[in-house]
Short mmCIF file of all heavy atoms in Angstrom, two decimals:
data_model
loop_
_atom_site.label_atom_id
_atom_site.label_comp_id
_atom_site.label_asym_id
_atom_site.label_seq_id
_atom_site.Cartn_x
_atom_site.Cartn_y
_atom_site.Cartn_z
N PHE A 139 -6.73 -41.30 -14.23
CA PHE A 139 -6.84 -41.62 -15.66
C PHE A 139 -8.23 -41.25 -16.18
O PHE A 139 -8.36 -40.59 -17.22
CB PHE A 139 -6.54 -43.10 -15.88
CG PHE A 139 -6.78 -43.61 -17.28
CD1 PHE A 139 -6.28 -42.94 -18.39
CD2 PHE A 139 -7.51 -44.76 -17.49
CE1 PHE A 139 -6.50 -43.41 -19.68
CE2 PHE A 139 -7.73 -45.25 -18.77
CZ PHE A 139 -7.23 -44.57 -19.86
N ALA A 140 -9.27 -41.64 -15.44
CA ALA A 140 -10.65 -41.33 -15.84
C ALA A 140 -10.87 -39.82 -15.92
O ALA A 140 -11.47 -39.32 -16.87
CB ALA A 140 -11.65 -41.97 -14.88
N ALA A 141 -10.37 -39.10 -14.93
CA ALA A 141 -10.53 -37.64 -14.92
C ALA A 141 -9.83 -37.01 -16.11
O ALA A 141 -10.38 -36.13 -16.78
CB ALA A 141 -9.99 -37.07 -13.61
N GLU A 142 -8.61 -37.46 -16.40
CA GLU A 142 -7.86 -36.91 -17.54
C GLU A 142 -8.54 -37.27 -18.86
O GLU A 142 -8.56 -36.46 -19.79
CB GLU A 142 -6.42 -37.41 -17.53
CG GLU A 142 -5.57 -36.77 -16.45
CD GLU A 142 -4.11 -37.18 -16.53
OE1 GLU A 142 -3.64 -37.56 -17.62
OE2 GLU A 142 -3.46 -37.13 -15.48
N LEU A 143 -9.10 -38.47 -18.93
CA LEU A 143 -9.79 -38.89 -20.15
C LEU A 143 -11.04 -38.05 -20.38
O LEU A 143 -11.28 -37.58 -21.50
CB LEU A 143 -10.15 -40.37 -20.03
CG LEU A 143 -10.41 -41.15 -21.29
CD1 LEU A 143 -9.31 -40.98 -22.33
CD2 LEU A 143 -10.60 -42.62 -20.96
N LEU A 144 -11.79 -37.79 -19.33
CA LEU A 144 -12.97 -36.92 -19.47
C LEU A 144 -12.57 -35.51 -19.89
O LEU A 144 -13.22 -34.90 -20.74
CB LEU A 144 -13.74 -36.86 -18.14
CG LEU A 144 -14.63 -38.05 -17.85
CD1 LEU A 144 -15.21 -37.92 -16.45
CD2 LEU A 144 -15.73 -38.18 -18.87
N GLU A 145 -11.51 -35.00 -19.31
CA GLU A 145 -11.03 -33.66 -19.67
C GLU A 145 -10.59 -33.63 -21.13
O GLU A 145 -10.85 -32.67 -21.85
CB GLU A 145 -9.87 -33.27 -18.76
CG GLU A 145 -9.40 -31.85 -18.95
CD GLU A 145 -8.30 -31.47 -17.98
OE1 GLU A 145 -8.38 -31.85 -16.80
OE2 GLU A 145 -7.36 -30.79 -18.42
N ALA A 146 -9.95 -34.71 -21.58
CA ALA A 146 -9.50 -34.78 -22.98
C ALA A 146 -10.67 -34.82 -23.95
O ALA A 146 -10.54 -34.40 -25.10
CB ALA A 146 -8.62 -36.00 -23.18
N MET A 147 -11.81 -35.30 -23.49
CA MET A 147 -12.99 -35.39 -24.35
C MET A 147 -13.70 -34.05 -24.52
O MET A 147 -14.64 -33.94 -25.31
CB MET A 147 -13.97 -36.42 -23.79
CG MET A 147 -13.46 -37.82 -23.88
SD MET A 147 -14.66 -38.94 -23.13
CE MET A 147 -13.70 -40.42 -23.01
N ASP A 148 -13.26 -33.05 -23.81
CA ASP A 148 -13.85 -31.71 -23.91
C ASP A 148 -13.72 -31.22 -25.34
O ASP A 148 -12.68 -31.35 -25.97
CB ASP A 148 -13.11 -30.77 -22.96
CG ASP A 148 -13.75 -29.40 -22.88
OD1 ASP A 148 -14.81 -29.19 -23.48
OD2 ASP A 148 -13.17 -28.54 -22.21
N ASP A 149 -14.80 -30.65 -25.85
CA ASP A 149 -14.77 -30.16 -27.24
C ASP A 149 -14.65 -28.64 -27.29
O ASP A 149 -15.20 -27.99 -28.17
CB ASP A 149 -15.99 -30.65 -28.02
CG ASP A 149 -17.30 -30.07 -27.51
OD1 ASP A 149 -17.31 -29.48 -26.42
OD2 ASP A 149 -18.32 -30.21 -28.21
N ALA A 150 -13.90 -28.08 -26.35
CA ALA A 150 -13.71 -26.63 -26.32
C ALA A 150 -12.98 -26.17 -27.59
O ALA A 150 -12.17 -26.91 -28.16
CB ALA A 150 -12.90 -26.24 -25.09
N PRO A 151 -13.28 -24.96 -28.02
CA PRO A 151 -12.61 -24.44 -29.22
C PRO A 151 -11.09 -24.43 -29.03
O PRO A 151 -10.59 -24.18 -27.94
CB PRO A 151 -13.14 -23.01 -29.33
CG PRO A 151 -14.39 -22.98 -28.53
CD PRO A 151 -14.22 -24.02 -27.46
N GLY A 152 -10.40 -24.74 -30.10
CA GLY A 152 -8.95 -24.71 -30.07
C GLY A 152 -8.34 -25.99 -29.55
O GLY A 152 -7.12 -26.12 -29.50
N GLN A 153 -9.17 -26.95 -29.16
CA GLN A 153 -8.64 -28.23 -28.70
C GLN A 153 -8.89 -29.29 -29.75
O GLN A 153 -9.83 -29.20 -30.53
CB GLN A 153 -9.28 -28.64 -27.38
CG GLN A 153 -8.85 -27.79 -26.21
CD GLN A 153 -9.36 -28.36 -24.89
OE1 GLN A 153 -10.21 -29.24 -24.87
NE2 GLN A 153 -8.84 -27.85 -23.80
N ASP A 154 -8.06 -30.30 -29.74
CA ASP A 154 -8.21 -31.44 -30.65
C ASP A 154 -8.50 -32.66 -29.78
O ASP A 154 -7.59 -33.32 -29.31
CB ASP A 154 -6.93 -31.64 -31.46
CG ASP A 154 -7.03 -32.79 -32.43
OD1 ASP A 154 -8.04 -33.52 -32.42
OD2 ASP A 154 -6.07 -32.97 -33.21
N PRO A 155 -9.80 -32.94 -29.53
CA PRO A 155 -10.14 -34.05 -28.63
C PRO A 155 -9.52 -35.39 -29.02
O PRO A 155 -9.10 -36.14 -28.16
CB PRO A 155 -11.66 -34.13 -28.68
CG PRO A 155 -12.11 -32.81 -29.21
CD PRO A 155 -10.99 -32.29 -30.06
#
Side-chain angles (χ1 to χ4, degrees):
F139 172 50
E142 287 185 25
L143 202 50
L144 281 174
E145 186 177 319
M147 292 178 193
D148 186 5
D149 66 348
Q153 290 188 347
D154 181 354

